[in-house]
Amino acid sequence: MLASLWLPVIACSAGAGGGEGNTTGNGAGGQSSSGAGSSSSTSSDDFGDDFGLTTSGSGSTSPADAGNQTTCDDAGNCTCINIASIGHEGVWGPCSSDSTTALQNWLNTQSTAQVDNYNTEKPTLTPEFLAKYDVILLQWMVTKGVQNDDGAPWQFTADEVNALKDWVNNGGGLIALSGYQCNGQGCTVHDVTATNQLLSFTDIQFNANGVLDPAQNGCPNCNCWGGPVPVGGPLPGSVGTWNQDTPIGKDIQSVGAYVARSIKSTTAIVDCTDGTNNFAVHEEVGKGRVVAYGDEWVTYSGQWLGTASCLNPQMFTDPNSPCYQRSAAQVFQIPQFWYNAVKYAASSVECFTIEDPAIIK
């Protein structure tokens, strides 16, 4: 099925690769002026030049952005946006054994974001916890989170849901994914339960179905990118269209999805649909913003890099191959999807930026 990822350390200095991340559920908090973390020294002129941030020399920080500032420690690790990833990461992907480290490394080495990972134990959503973050990514919120065994869905109290509601209404951003496990045929779908509970105050809910199954829909050459159905774009077997007039769909032609959940909504703006099933939507809730996408394959490294142990790289360079120049990295706009989603969700954080030549800003 699908998966996801995230890490707790963000480095603004070049070449600082992300590590394995905090898997203990003890998020560090971050450094935004609205968060609980602390900031040390200020950003340098060189950093501001590299990331498009305005600085006024030694001893100054970049201008406040709706309460947020870019802050850097003595080692040059900088942040202006704090993200909490809540829930297990995906465990499938190409070859059914992929990781999500590419997304993690992309954020940690190329952006002004910091991610705390709560993927083994459910955090308690209190106002104090939520105040540390600008964006929350909702992933696979279950007790086990392994292949073919979700375990029980996490349960949140009414107080936690109300705290999240207040946080979003006051400017927080939510990004929700789904589709981490079985396709709903002959098995119980658990990956929508906690997510729908936390989205109950929005106009967005995930259906407990399994659309975009290449085994049922048929998908010529899907093996070129590891199996998922192309969502949008001109590729063989592609389904749906990305709306170029929305902040989430803009500049995206196609991404992959494998047994995704469709999304139920009435007033949310649709970013991607096939006319029957909505695959991506977004909406404003008070001062905050919510994004939902029905699949987790946008988190797998094989979709970012176009490489996996079961894929022969020669098929992408052989002009006689149906996979010629059709690796996932060549046909999907995964970085663009994440840039759009984070930028939109972090509505009050103009200082968020990421360096990637593939992204249209």
Side-chain angles (χ1 to χ4, degrees):
M1 312 281 134
L2 319 101
S4 31
L5 84 215
W6 295 75
L7 236 70
V9 183
I10 262 310
C12 293
S13 55
E20 280 304 308
N22 178 4
T23 59
T24 65
N26 299 318
Q31 299 173 338
S32 108
S33 60
S34 61
S38 61
S39 60
S40 307
S41 60
T42 58
S43 54
S44 68
D45 288 339
D46 289 341
F47 176 82
D49 291 341
D50 290 342
F51 285 86
L53 304 174
T54 303
T55 60
S56 55
S58 177
S60 65
T61 59
S62 53
D65 165 33
N68 292 79
Q69 294 181 338
T70 298
T71 56
C72 301
D73 61 22
D74 292 335
N77 300 316
C78 306
T79 183
C80 79
I81 176 175
N82 299 300
I83 302 173
S85 176
I86 298 178
H88 291 273
E89 300 153 7
V91 292
W92 294 96
C95 312
S96 297
S97 60
D98 204 8
S99 74
T100 57
T101 56
L103 169 58
Q104 175 176 292
N105 292 341
W106 184 74
L107 282 167
N108 287 353
T109 62
Q110 295 173 241
S111 84
T112 51
Q114 172 175 310
V115 183
D116 291 341
N117 201 13
Y118 301 88
N119 65 357
T120 58
E121 296 182 7
K122 172 192 163 298
T124 302
L125 303 185
T126 63
E128 294 75 21
F129 173 86
L130 295 167
K132 297 186 292 185
Y133 299 105
D134 303 293
V135 173
I136 289 177
L137 172 65
L138 302 178
Q139 296 213 63
W140 192 12
M141 294 179 287
V142 293
T143 55
K144 290 188 178 179
V146 298
Q147 289 188 0
N148 301 312
D149 191 356
D150 296 62
W154 288 354
Q155 296 293 323
F156 294 87
T157 67
D159 286 344
E160 289 179 283
V161 176
N162 286 331
L164 184 66
K165 176 181 178 180
D166 290 343
W167 176 80
V168 172
N169 273 280
N170 287 322
L174 282 180
I175 301 174
L177 304 178
S178 192
Y180 289 86
Q181 194 74 277
C182 89
N183 63 7
Q185 298 176 354
C187 60
T188 302
V189 174
H190 290 297
D191 61 45
V192 303
T193 304
T195 306
N196 283 344
Q197 184 187 14
L198 293 179
L199 292 174
S200 60
F201 61 90
T202 75
D203 179 55
I204 297 169
Q205 293 280 281
F206 287 104
N207 293 311
N209 56 8
V211 296
L212 303 179
D213 185 346
Q216 294 187 20
N217 302 350
C219 184
N221 304 328
C222 277
N223 61 298
C224 297
W225 39 84
V229 174
V231 181
L235 294 168
S238 63
V239 177
T241 303
W242 287 90
N243 187 343
Q244 297 301 303
D245 295 325
T246 72
I248 308 303
K250 183 175 174 55
D251 300 313
I252 298 176
Q253 284 191 319
S254 184
V255 298
Y258 200 111
V259 191
R261 312 285 181 233
S262 64
I263 301 170
K264 178 171 55 179
S265 64
T266 56
T267 60
I269 297 173
V270 176
D271 303 292
C272 186
T273 184
D274 65 0
T276 301
N277 299 298
N278 293 336
F279 308 127
V281 304
H282 74 275
E283 69 168 340
E284 294 186 11
V285 178
K287 297 179 181 178
R289 296 178 173 184
V290 181
V291 180
Y293 178 61
D295 199 70
E296 100 290 7
W297 273 65
V298 289
T299 65
Y300 288 123
S301 296
Q303 301 299 280
W304 286 73
L305 306 176
T307 57
S309 60
C310 57
L311 301 178
N312 182 355
Q314 292 182 350
M315 63 184 178
F316 305 127
T317 57
D318 180 0
N320 296 315
S321 169
C323 296
Y324 177 61
Q325 294 184 346
R326 284 184 173 177
S327 74
Q330 292 170 305
V331 299
F332 296 146
Q333 289 76 51
I334 303 296
Q336 189 72 52
F337 171 86
W338 281 108
Y339 176 79
N340 290 358
V342 173
K343 187 73 172 179
Y344 173 80
S347 56
S348 65
V349 188
E350 291 292 335
C351 61
F352 171 68
T353 186
I354 193 159
E355 293 302 306
D356 189 316
I359 291 175
I360 300 173
K361 300 178 180 179

Short mmCIF file of all heavy atoms in Angstrom, two decimals, residues 151-213:
data_model
loop_
_atom_site.label_atom_id
_atom_site.label_comp_id
_atom_site.label_asym_id
_atom_site.label_seq_id
_atom_site.Cartn_x
_atom_site.Cartn_y
_atom_site.Cartn_z
N GLY A 151 -2.82 -3.07 13.85
CA GLY A 151 -3.13 -2.93 15.25
C GLY A 151 -4.36 -2.05 15.39
O GLY A 151 -5.02 -1.69 14.41
N ALA A 152 -4.69 -1.67 16.60
CA ALA A 152 -5.87 -0.84 16.82
C ALA A 152 -5.58 0.62 16.47
O ALA A 152 -4.45 1.09 16.63
CB ALA A 152 -6.30 -0.94 18.28
N PRO A 153 -6.58 1.34 16.01
CA PRO A 153 -6.38 2.78 15.75
C PRO A 153 -6.19 3.54 17.05
O PRO A 153 -6.76 3.19 18.08
CB PRO A 153 -7.66 3.20 15.04
CG PRO A 153 -8.68 2.19 15.44
CD PRO A 153 -7.94 0.90 15.63
N TRP A 154 -5.38 4.57 16.99
CA TRP A 154 -5.24 5.45 18.15
C TRP A 154 -6.57 6.14 18.42
O TRP A 154 -7.33 6.44 17.51
CB TRP A 154 -4.17 6.51 17.89
CG TRP A 154 -2.77 5.99 17.89
CD1 TRP A 154 -2.35 4.74 18.21
CD2 TRP A 154 -1.59 6.73 17.55
NE1 TRP A 154 -0.98 4.64 18.10
CE2 TRP A 154 -0.49 5.85 17.70
CE3 TRP A 154 -1.35 8.03 17.14
CZ2 TRP A 154 0.82 6.24 17.44
CZ3 TRP A 154 -0.05 8.43 16.89
CH2 TRP A 154 1.03 7.55 17.04
N GLN A 155 -6.82 6.40 19.71
CA GLN A 155 -8.03 7.09 20.11
C GLN A 155 -7.68 8.43 20.75
O GLN A 155 -6.79 8.49 21.60
CB GLN A 155 -8.83 6.23 21.10
CG GLN A 155 -9.35 4.93 20.52
CD GLN A 155 -10.42 5.15 19.46
OE1 GLN A 155 -11.24 6.07 19.56
NE2 GLN A 155 -10.40 4.33 18.41
N PHE A 156 -8.36 9.47 20.31
CA PHE A 156 -8.14 10.80 20.87
C PHE A 156 -9.39 11.23 21.65
O PHE A 156 -10.51 10.92 21.26
CB PHE A 156 -7.85 11.81 19.75
CG PHE A 156 -6.55 11.57 19.05
CD1 PHE A 156 -6.48 10.69 17.96
CD2 PHE A 156 -5.39 12.20 19.46
CE1 PHE A 156 -5.28 10.46 17.31
CE2 PHE A 156 -4.18 11.97 18.81
CZ PHE A 156 -4.13 11.11 17.74
N THR A 157 -9.18 11.92 22.75
CA THR A 157 -10.30 12.37 23.57
C THR A 157 -10.97 13.59 22.94
O THR A 157 -10.40 14.24 22.04
CB THR A 157 -9.83 12.74 24.98
OG1 THR A 157 -9.00 13.91 24.91
CG2 THR A 157 -9.06 11.59 25.63
N ALA A 158 -12.16 13.90 23.43
CA ALA A 158 -12.85 15.10 22.96
C ALA A 158 -12.03 16.36 23.24
O ALA A 158 -12.02 17.29 22.43
CB ALA A 158 -14.23 15.20 23.62
N ASP A 159 -11.34 16.37 24.38
CA ASP A 159 -10.50 17.53 24.70
C ASP A 159 -9.37 17.68 23.69
O ASP A 159 -9.02 18.82 23.30
CB ASP A 159 -9.91 17.39 26.11
CG ASP A 159 -10.94 17.64 27.20
OD1 ASP A 159 -12.00 18.21 26.89
OD2 ASP A 159 -10.67 17.26 28.35
N GLU A 160 -8.79 16.57 23.25
CA GLU A 160 -7.72 16.64 22.25
C GLU A 160 -8.24 17.14 20.91
O GLU A 160 -7.60 17.96 20.24
CB GLU A 160 -7.07 15.27 22.09
CG GLU A 160 -6.24 14.83 23.29
CD GLU A 160 -5.63 13.46 23.09
OE1 GLU A 160 -6.37 12.46 23.23
OE2 GLU A 160 -4.44 13.39 22.79
N VAL A 161 -9.40 16.64 20.49
CA VAL A 161 -9.98 17.10 19.22
C VAL A 161 -10.30 18.59 19.30
O VAL A 161 -10.04 19.35 18.36
CB VAL A 161 -11.24 16.29 18.88
CG1 VAL A 161 -11.90 16.84 17.61
CG2 VAL A 161 -10.90 14.81 18.70
N ASN A 162 -10.83 19.04 20.43
CA ASN A 162 -11.15 20.46 20.60
C ASN A 162 -9.89 21.31 20.62
O ASN A 162 -9.87 22.43 20.09
CB ASN A 162 -11.95 20.67 21.88
CG ASN A 162 -13.38 20.20 21.75
OD1 ASN A 162 -13.95 20.20 20.65
ND2 ASN A 162 -13.99 19.78 22.85
N ALA A 163 -8.82 20.78 21.23
CA ALA A 163 -7.55 21.53 21.23
C ALA A 163 -7.02 21.67 19.81
O ALA A 163 -6.53 22.75 19.43
CB ALA A 163 -6.53 20.81 22.12
N LEU A 164 -7.12 20.61 19.02
CA LEU A 164 -6.67 20.69 17.63
C LEU A 164 -7.54 21.65 16.84
O LEU A 164 -7.04 22.44 16.02
CB LEU A 164 -6.70 19.29 17.00
CG LEU A 164 -6.16 19.19 15.57
CD1 LEU A 164 -4.68 19.48 15.53
CD2 LEU A 164 -6.46 17.82 14.97
N LYS A 165 -8.83 21.60 17.07
CA LYS A 165 -9.75 22.52 16.39
C LYS A 165 -9.38 23.97 16.69
O LYS A 165 -9.30 24.81 15.78
CB LYS A 165 -11.18 22.23 16.85
CG LYS A 165 -12.22 23.18 16.28
CD LYS A 165 -13.60 22.85 16.82
CE LYS A 165 -14.65 23.82 16.31
NZ LYS A 165 -16.01 23.50 16.84
N ASP A 166 -9.14 24.28 17.96
CA ASP A 166 -8.77 25.65 18.33
C ASP A 166 -7.45 26.05 17.70
O ASP A 166 -7.28 27.18 17.22
CB ASP A 166 -8.68 25.77 19.85
CG ASP A 166 -10.04 25.68 20.53
OD1 ASP A 166 -11.07 25.85 19.85
OD2 ASP A 166 -10.07 25.42 21.76
N TRP A 167 -6.49 25.11 17.68
CA TRP A 167 -5.18 25.38 17.11
C TRP A 167 -5.29 25.70 15.62
O TRP A 167 -4.67 26.65 15.12
CB TRP A 167 -4.27 24.17 17.35
CG TRP A 167 -2.91 24.25 16.75
CD1 TRP A 167 -1.82 24.90 17.24
CD2 TRP A 167 -2.48 23.61 15.53
NE1 TRP A 167 -0.74 24.71 16.41
CE2 TRP A 167 -1.11 23.93 15.37
CE3 TRP A 167 -3.11 22.80 14.60
CZ2 TRP A 167 -0.37 23.47 14.28
CZ3 TRP A 167 -2.38 22.33 13.51
CH2 TRP A 167 -1.02 22.68 13.36
N VAL A 168 -6.09 24.92 14.88
CA VAL A 168 -6.27 25.18 13.46
C VAL A 168 -6.98 26.51 13.25
O VAL A 168 -6.57 27.33 12.43
CB VAL A 168 -7.04 24.03 12.78
CG1 VAL A 168 -7.40 24.40 11.34
CG2 VAL A 168 -6.22 22.75 12.80
N ASN A 169 -8.04 26.75 14.01
CA ASN A 169 -8.78 27.99 13.85
C ASN A 169 -7.92 29.22 14.12
O ASN A 169 -8.18 30.30 13.59
CB ASN A 169 -10.01 28.00 14.77
CG ASN A 169 -11.22 27.36 14.12
OD1 ASN A 169 -11.91 27.98 13.32
ND2 ASN A 169 -11.47 26.09 14.44
N ASN A 170 -6.89 29.04 14.94
CA ASN A 170 -5.99 30.14 15.26
C ASN A 170 -4.79 30.24 14.33
O ASN A 170 -3.88 31.02 14.57
CB ASN A 170 -5.52 30.03 16.71
CG ASN A 170 -6.62 30.37 17.70
OD1 ASN A 170 -7.40 31.28 17.46
ND2 ASN A 170 -6.68 29.65 18.81
N GLY A 171 -4.77 29.41 13.26
CA GLY A 171 -3.72 29.55 12.26
C GLY A 171 -2.88 28.32 12.01
O GLY A 171 -1.98 28.36 11.16
N GLY A 172 -3.13 27.22 12.71
CA GLY A 172 -2.34 26.00 12.48
C GLY A 172 -2.69 25.34 11.16
O GLY A 172 -3.78 25.54 10.60
N GLY A 173 -1.76 24.54 10.63
CA GLY A 173 -1.97 23.85 9.37
C GLY A 173 -1.92 22.34 9.52
O GLY A 173 -1.02 21.81 10.19
N LEU A 174 -2.87 21.64 8.92
CA LEU A 174 -2.90 20.17 8.94
C LEU A 174 -2.68 19.63 7.54
O LEU A 174 -3.22 20.15 6.57
CB LEU A 174 -4.27 19.67 9.42
CG LEU A 174 -4.61 19.68 10.90
CD1 LEU A 174 -6.03 19.13 11.10
CD2 LEU A 174 -3.61 18.86 11.69
N ILE A 175 -1.87 18.57 7.44
CA ILE A 175 -1.74 17.79 6.21
C ILE A 175 -2.04 16.35 6.59
O ILE A 175 -1.41 15.79 7.49
CB ILE A 175 -0.33 17.89 5.60
CG1 ILE A 175 0.02 19.34 5.30
CG2 ILE A 175 -0.24 17.04 4.35
CD1 ILE A 175 1.47 19.53 4.84
N ALA A 176 -3.02 15.74 5.94
CA ALA A 176 -3.44 14.38 6.29
C ALA A 176 -3.25 13.45 5.09
O ALA A 176 -3.64 13.78 3.97
CB ALA A 176 -4.89 14.37 6.73
N LEU A 177 -2.64 12.30 5.35
CA LEU A 177 -2.48 11.26 4.34
C LEU A 177 -3.26 10.02 4.77
O LEU A 177 -3.66 9.88 5.93
CB LEU A 177 -1.01 10.89 4.18
CG LEU A 177 -0.03 12.01 3.83
CD1 LEU A 177 1.39 11.46 3.75
CD2 LEU A 177 -0.41 12.70 2.53
N SER A 178 -3.46 9.08 3.84
CA SER A 178 -4.16 7.85 4.17
C SER A 178 -3.69 6.75 3.24
O SER A 178 -2.72 6.92 2.50
CB SER A 178 -5.68 8.05 4.06
OG SER A 178 -6.38 6.96 4.64
N GLY A 179 -4.34 5.56 3.30
CA GLY A 179 -4.03 4.47 2.40
C GLY A 179 -2.81 3.65 2.76
O GLY A 179 -2.18 3.06 1.89
N TYR A 180 -2.47 3.57 4.02
CA TYR A 180 -1.23 2.92 4.43
C TYR A 180 -1.26 1.41 4.37
O TYR A 180 -0.23 0.76 4.36
CB TYR A 180 -0.86 3.35 5.86
CG TYR A 180 -0.42 4.78 5.95
CD1 TYR A 180 -1.36 5.81 6.10
CD2 TYR A 180 0.92 5.13 5.85
CE1 TYR A 180 -0.94 7.13 6.15
CE2 TYR A 180 1.32 6.44 5.92
CZ TYR A 180 0.39 7.44 6.07
OH TYR A 180 0.78 8.75 6.12
N GLN A 181 -2.43 0.82 4.36
CA GLN A 181 -2.50 -0.63 4.50
C GLN A 181 -3.51 -1.22 3.53
O GLN A 181 -3.59 -0.76 2.39
CB GLN A 181 -2.84 -0.99 5.95
CG GLN A 181 -2.64 -2.44 6.33
CD GLN A 181 -1.19 -2.84 6.49
OE1 GLN A 181 -0.53 -3.14 5.51
NE2 GLN A 181 -0.68 -2.85 7.71
N CYS A 182 -4.29 -2.16 3.95
CA CYS A 182 -5.08 -3.00 3.05
C CYS A 182 -6.08 -2.19 2.25
O CYS A 182 -6.43 -1.06 2.61
CB CYS A 182 -5.78 -4.10 3.83
SG CYS A 182 -7.40 -3.65 4.46
N ASN A 183 -6.58 -2.79 1.17
CA ASN A 183 -7.43 -2.07 0.25
C ASN A 183 -8.91 -2.14 0.62
O ASN A 183 -9.76 -1.73 -0.16
CB ASN A 183 -7.23 -2.59 -1.19
CG ASN A 183 -7.62 -4.06 -1.33
OD1 ASN A 183 -8.15 -4.67 -0.41
ND2 ASN A 183 -7.34 -4.61 -2.49
N GLY A 184 -9.22 -2.69 1.78
CA GLY A 184 -10.60 -2.70 2.24
C GLY A 184 -11.43 -3.86 1.73
O GLY A 184 -12.62 -3.94 2.03
N GLN A 185 -10.85 -4.77 0.97
CA GLN A 185 -11.59 -5.91 0.44
C GLN A 185 -11.29 -7.13 1.32
O GLN A 185 -10.24 -7.75 1.23
CB GLN A 185 -11.19 -6.18 -1.00
CG GLN A 185 -11.54 -5.01 -1.92
CD GLN A 185 -11.06 -5.25 -3.33
OE1 GLN A 185 -10.39 -6.24 -3.60
NE2 GLN A 185 -11.43 -4.36 -4.24
N GLY A 186 -12.24 -7.45 2.19
CA GLY A 186 -12.07 -8.60 3.07
C GLY A 186 -11.25 -8.30 4.29
O GLY A 186 -10.85 -9.22 5.01
N CYS A 187 -10.94 -7.06 4.56
CA CYS A 187 -10.19 -6.72 5.76
C CYS A 187 -10.70 -5.38 6.29
O CYS A 187 -11.38 -4.64 5.59
CB CYS A 187 -8.69 -6.65 5.49
SG CYS A 187 -8.22 -5.43 4.26
N THR A 188 -10.35 -5.09 7.52
CA THR A 188 -10.81 -3.86 8.16
C THR A 188 -9.81 -2.74 7.91
O THR A 188 -8.62 -2.91 8.11
CB THR A 188 -10.98 -4.07 9.67
OG1 THR A 188 -11.91 -5.14 9.89
CG2 THR A 188 -11.50 -2.80 10.33
N VAL A 189 -10.30 -1.60 7.47
CA VAL A 189 -9.46 -0.45 7.24
C VAL A 189 -9.34 0.35 8.53
O VAL A 189 -10.34 0.85 9.05
CB VAL A 189 -10.03 0.44 6.11
CG1 VAL A 189 -9.23 1.72 5.98
CG2 VAL A 189 -10.03 -0.33 4.80
N HIS A 190 -8.13 0.46 9.06
CA HIS A 190 -7.90 1.17 10.31
C HIS A 190 -7.23 2.53 10.10
O HIS A 190 -7.23 3.35 11.01
CB HIS A 190 -7.01 0.34 11.25
CG HIS A 190 -7.68 -0.88 11.79
ND1 HIS A 190 -8.79 -0.81 12.61
CD2 HIS A 190 -7.40 -2.20 11.65
CE1 HIS A 190 -9.17 -2.03 12.96
NE2 HIS A 190 -8.35 -2.90 12.38
N ASP A 191 -6.65 2.76 8.93
CA ASP A 191 -5.84 3.97 8.81
C ASP A 191 -6.66 5.24 8.67
O ASP A 191 -6.11 6.33 8.67
CB ASP A 191 -4.83 3.84 7.66
CG ASP A 191 -5.47 3.63 6.29
OD1 ASP A 191 -6.45 4.33 5.97
OD2 ASP A 191 -4.98 2.79 5.53
N VAL A 192 -7.99 5.12 8.52
CA VAL A 192 -8.81 6.33 8.43
C VAL A 192 -9.44 6.71 9.77
O VAL A 192 -9.95 7.83 9.92
CB VAL A 192 -9.94 6.16 7.38
CG1 VAL A 192 -9.35 5.83 6.02
CG2 VAL A 192 -10.96 5.12 7.80
N THR A 193 -9.43 5.80 10.75
CA THR A 193 -10.22 6.00 11.96
C THR A 193 -9.78 7.22 12.76
O THR A 193 -10.56 8.14 13.01
CB THR A 193 -10.18 4.75 12.85
OG1 THR A 193 -10.62 3.62 12.09
CG2 THR A 193 -11.06 4.93 14.08
N ALA A 194 -8.52 7.22 13.17
CA ALA A 194 -8.03 8.34 13.98
C ALA A 194 -7.97 9.62 13.16
O ALA A 194 -8.26 10.71 13.68
CB ALA A 194 -6.65 8.00 14.55
N THR A 195 -7.59 9.50 11.90
CA THR A 195 -7.51 10.69 11.05
C THR A 195 -8.87 11.36 10.91
O THR A 195 -9.00 12.58 11.06
CB THR A 195 -6.95 10.33 9.67
OG1 THR A 195 -5.71 9.64 9.83
CG2 THR A 195 -6.73 11.57 8.83
N ASN A 196 -9.91 10.56 10.65
CA ASN A 196 -11.24 11.13 10.53
C ASN A 196 -11.72 11.73 11.85
O ASN A 196 -12.45 12.73 11.86
CB ASN A 196 -12.23 10.08 10.04
CG ASN A 196 -12.10 9.82 8.55
OD1 ASN A 196 -11.51 10.60 7.81
ND2 ASN A 196 -12.67 8.71 8.09
N GLN A 197 -11.33 11.12 12.96
CA GLN A 197 -11.69 11.69 14.25
C GLN A 197 -11.09 13.09 14.41
O GLN A 197 -11.76 14.03 14.82
CB GLN A 197 -11.22 10.78 15.40
CG GLN A 197 -11.64 11.27 16.77
CD GLN A 197 -11.03 10.47 17.90
OE1 GLN A 197 -10.08 9.70 17.70
NE2 GLN A 197 -11.56 10.64 19.09
N LEU A 198 -9.81 13.22 14.03
CA LEU A 198 -9.15 14.51 14.18
C LEU A 198 -9.61 15.52 13.14
O LEU A 198 -9.46 16.73 13.34
CB LEU A 198 -7.63 14.33 14.11
CG LEU A 198 -7.01 13.56 15.27
CD1 LEU A 198 -5.50 13.43 15.09
CD2 LEU A 198 -7.33 14.22 16.61
N LEU A 199 -10.15 15.05 12.03
CA LEU A 199 -10.67 15.95 11.00
C LEU A 199 -12.16 16.23 11.18
O LEU A 199 -12.78 16.86 10.32
CB LEU A 199 -10.44 15.34 9.61
CG LEU A 199 -9.00 15.23 9.12
CD1 LEU A 199 -8.96 14.48 7.78
CD2 LEU A 199 -8.35 16.60 8.97
N SER A 200 -12.75 15.80 12.27
CA SER A 200 -14.20 15.87 12.44
C SER A 200 -14.75 17.28 12.44
O SER A 200 -15.93 17.50 12.17
CB SER A 200 -14.61 15.16 13.73
OG SER A 200 -13.98 15.77 14.86
N PHE A 201 -13.92 18.27 12.75
CA PHE A 201 -14.38 19.66 12.75
C PHE A 201 -14.20 20.33 11.39
O PHE A 201 -14.50 21.52 11.23
CB PHE A 201 -13.64 20.47 13.83
CG PHE A 201 -12.15 20.53 13.64
CD1 PHE A 201 -11.57 21.54 12.89
CD2 PHE A 201 -11.34 19.57 14.22
CE1 PHE A 201 -10.19 21.59 12.72
CE2 PHE A 201 -9.96 19.62 14.05
CZ PHE A 201 -9.39 20.62 13.29
N THR A 202 -13.70 19.59 10.41
CA THR A 202 -13.51 20.11 9.06
C THR A 202 -14.59 19.56 8.15
O THR A 202 -15.47 18.79 8.56
CB THR A 202 -12.13 19.72 8.51
OG1 THR A 202 -12.14 18.33 8.13
CG2 THR A 202 -11.04 19.96 9.55
N ASP A 203 -14.52 19.90 6.89
CA ASP A 203 -15.44 19.36 5.88
C ASP A 203 -14.83 18.15 5.17
O ASP A 203 -15.31 17.73 4.12
CB ASP A 203 -15.75 20.46 4.85
CG ASP A 203 -16.68 19.98 3.74
OD1 ASP A 203 -17.77 19.48 4.06
OD2 ASP A 203 -16.30 20.09 2.56
N ILE A 204 -13.77 17.58 5.74
CA ILE A 204 -13.00 16.53 5.06
C ILE A 204 -13.05 15.23 5.85
O ILE A 204 -12.81 15.22 7.06
CB ILE A 204 -11.54 16.99 4.89
CG1 ILE A 204 -11.47 18.23 3.99
CG2 ILE A 204 -10.69 15.86 4.31
CD1 ILE A 204 -10.10 18.90 3.97
N GLN A 205 -13.33 14.12 5.17
CA GLN A 205 -13.27 12.79 5.74
C GLN A 205 -12.74 11.83 4.67
O GLN A 205 -13.05 11.97 3.48
CB GLN A 205 -14.65 12.31 6.21
CG GLN A 205 -15.22 13.09 7.38
CD GLN A 205 -14.65 12.65 8.71
OE1 GLN A 205 -15.04 11.63 9.27
NE2 GLN A 205 -13.70 13.42 9.23
N PHE A 206 -11.94 10.84 5.10
CA PHE A 206 -11.47 9.80 4.19
C PHE A 206 -12.49 8.66 4.15
O PHE A 206 -12.98 8.22 5.20
CB PHE A 206 -10.12 9.25 4.64
CG PHE A 206 -8.97 10.19 4.42
CD1 PHE A 206 -8.42 10.90 5.48
CD2 PHE A 206 -8.43 10.36 3.16
CE1 PHE A 206 -7.36 11.76 5.30
CE2 PHE A 206 -7.36 11.23 2.96
CZ PHE A 206 -6.83 11.93 4.02
N ASN A 207 -12.77 8.16 2.97
CA ASN A 207 -13.60 6.97 2.83
C ASN A 207 -12.77 5.72 3.09
O ASN A 207 -11.57 5.70 2.79
CB ASN A 207 -14.22 6.90 1.44
CG ASN A 207 -15.23 8.01 1.19
OD1 ASN A 207 -16.11 8.24 2.01
ND2 ASN A 207 -15.10 8.71 0.07
N ALA A 208 -13.38 4.69 3.62
CA ALA A 208 -12.67 3.43 3.90
C ALA A 208 -12.75 2.52 2.68
O ALA A 208 -13.26 1.40 2.74
CB ALA A 208 -13.28 2.76 5.13
N ASN A 209 -12.23 2.99 1.56
CA ASN A 209 -12.26 2.21 0.34
C ASN A 209 -10.85 2.06 -0.21
O ASN A 209 -9.88 2.51 0.41
CB ASN A 209 -13.19 2.86 -0.70
CG ASN A 209 -12.80 4.31 -1.00
OD1 ASN A 209 -11.76 4.80 -0.56
ND2 ASN A 209 -13.65 5.00 -1.76
N GLY A 210 -10.74 1.42 -1.34
CA GLY A 210 -9.43 1.25 -1.96
C GLY A 210 -9.52 1.52 -3.45
O GLY A 210 -9.77 0.61 -4.24
N VAL A 211 -9.39 2.76 -3.83
CA VAL A 211 -9.41 3.13 -5.25
C VAL A 211 -7.98 3.15 -5.77
O VAL A 211 -7.02 3.09 -5.01
CB VAL A 211 -10.09 4.49 -5.46
CG1 VAL A 211 -11.56 4.43 -5.05
CG2 VAL A 211 -9.39 5.59 -4.66
N LEU A 212 -7.85 3.22 -7.08
CA LEU A 212 -6.53 3.28 -7.72
C LEU A 212 -5.69 2.03 -7.44
O LEU A 212 -4.51 2.10 -7.12
CB LEU A 212 -5.76 4.53 -7.29
CG LEU A 212 -6.47 5.86 -7.56
CD1 LEU A 212 -5.62 7.03 -7.06
CD2 LEU A 212 -6.76 6.02 -9.04
N ASP A 213 -6.32 0.88 -7.53
CA ASP A 213 -5.63 -0.39 -7.37
C ASP A 213 -5.19 -0.87 -8.75
O ASP A 213 -6.03 -1.21 -9.59
CB ASP A 213 -6.57 -1.41 -6.74
CG ASP A 213 -5.88 -2.74 -6.43
OD1 ASP A 213 -4.77 -2.96 -6.94
OD2 ASP A 213 -6.45 -3.54 -5.68
#
